[in-house]
DNA sequence: GAGTTTGAAACT
DNA sequence: CAGTTTCAAACTC
């Protein structure tokens, strides 16, 4: 298998700190007063990694995307119009420093589905197409949202019919 | 933790 | 629009 970081290492548009340097900064113990934070500030780097660390515990639904750079709707963070913060994703481009690529991806998705990023997401009625989960597992978007399936759904063997 | 199953998203 | 593939999460062992 290829090193998943290879691509990132060779990119020219990434933040000026290499993955290896990042690893060193975050993994090696600080020496005396020589703190990681001081190094970061001295290098005047983007602070997204710092933000990640600080918000790690409160990050809602951290994703674990491997292949999409978190720029497809497969990525929960991206789909919810959030940057990836405290996630376990690889080669993430869903970050302020990749704003150009991010906006391009958003544009492309909106072309395909104008409603994909509507703000009032909670009011959108989901319509699932489940075949095997009986709509009673979190594979089903309706079930996951805590809502019964409706006539809009095209599911088979649905048992997600609410309390009735 | 590894492998399987699932259905949305993406693609053709 | 329908069929197929890709993807990441849910789930199982």
């Amino acid at each position: 298998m290829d090193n998943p970081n290879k691509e990132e290492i060779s990119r020219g548009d990434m933040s000026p700190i290499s993955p290896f340097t990042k690893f060193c900064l975050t993994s090696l113990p600080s020496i005396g007063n020589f703190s990681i934070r001081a190094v970061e500030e001295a290098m005047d780097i983007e602070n997204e990694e710092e933000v990640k660390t600080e918000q790690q515990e409160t990050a809602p639904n951290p994703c674990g995307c491997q292949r999409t750079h978190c720029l497809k709707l497969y990525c929960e963070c991206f789909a919810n119009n959030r940057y990836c913060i405290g996630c376990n994703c690889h080669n993430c481009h869903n970050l302020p420093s990749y704003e150009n690529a991010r906006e391009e991806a958003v544009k492309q998705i909106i072309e395909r589905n104008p409603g994909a990023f509507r703000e009032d997401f909670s009011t959108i009625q989901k319509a699932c197409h489940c075949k095997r989960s009986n709509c009673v597992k979190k594979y089903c978007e309706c079930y996951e949202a805590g809502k019964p399936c409706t006539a809009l759904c095209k599911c088979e063997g649905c048992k997600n019919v609410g309390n009735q």
Side-chain angles (χ1 to χ4, degrees):
Chain A
M1 226 4 211
D2 282 347
N3 176 357
N5 289 325
K6 199 187 288 180
E7 185 188 340
E8 188 177 349
I9 290 167
S10 65
R11 291 188 64 83
D13 60 345
M14 60 177 291
S15 58
I17 191 163
S18 74
F20 176 70
T21 307
K22 249 188 266 182
F23 169 78
C24 293
L25 288 172
T26 55
S27 302
L28 299 179
S30 56
I31 304 167
N33 295 327
F34 197 62
S35 72
I36 291 170
R37 185 173 296 268
V39 172
E40 287 173 337
E41 284 170 2
M43 294 179 73
D44 191 32
I45 61 172
E46 288 287 324
N47 67 348
E48 61 206 26
E49 288 299 320
E50 203 173 309
V51 170
K52 269 189 173 185
T53 306
E54 285 173 2
Q55 297 190 3
Q56 203 142 17
E57 282 148 32
T58 58
N61 307 325
C63 74
C65 304
Q66 308 261 347
R67 308 176 67 92
T68 61
H69 297 168
C70 301
L71 291 184
K72 305 253 184 190
L73 293 175
Y74 296 124
C75 176
E76 287 282 308
C77 308
F78 180 74
N80 289 312
N81 207 12
R82 291 197 318 261
Y83 291 119
C84 284
I85 294 170
C87 297
N88 307 308
C89 40
H90 301 312
N91 292 326
C92 182
H93 289 197
N94 182 26
L95 294 167
S97 58
Y98 287 100
E99 198 52 48
N100 288 348
R102 193 175 181 278
E103 281 178 11
E104 196 58 37
V106 170
K107 207 168 81 181
Q108 197 175 66
I109 289 164
I110 288 176
E111 270 177 30
R112 196 184 307 128
N113 172 13
F117 293 98
R118 271 167 61 174
E119 297 244 343
D120 198 0
F121 199 66
S122 61
T123 66
I124 297 173
Q125 177 59 51
K126 295 262 187 184
C128 72
H129 302 78
C130 304
K131 292 184 171 165
R132 309 179 68 90
S133 67
N134 301 122
C135 304
V136 289
K137 296 191 176 179
K138 289 176 81 177
Y139 297 124
C140 174
E141 292 202 329
C142 303
Y143 178 85
E144 184 169 27
K147 295 176 182 171
C149 291
T150 70
L152 296 172
C153 298
K154 294 181 177 165
C155 40
E156 298 172 12
C158 182
K159 293 181 180 170
N160 181 26
V161 291
N163 293 326
Q164 21 180 331

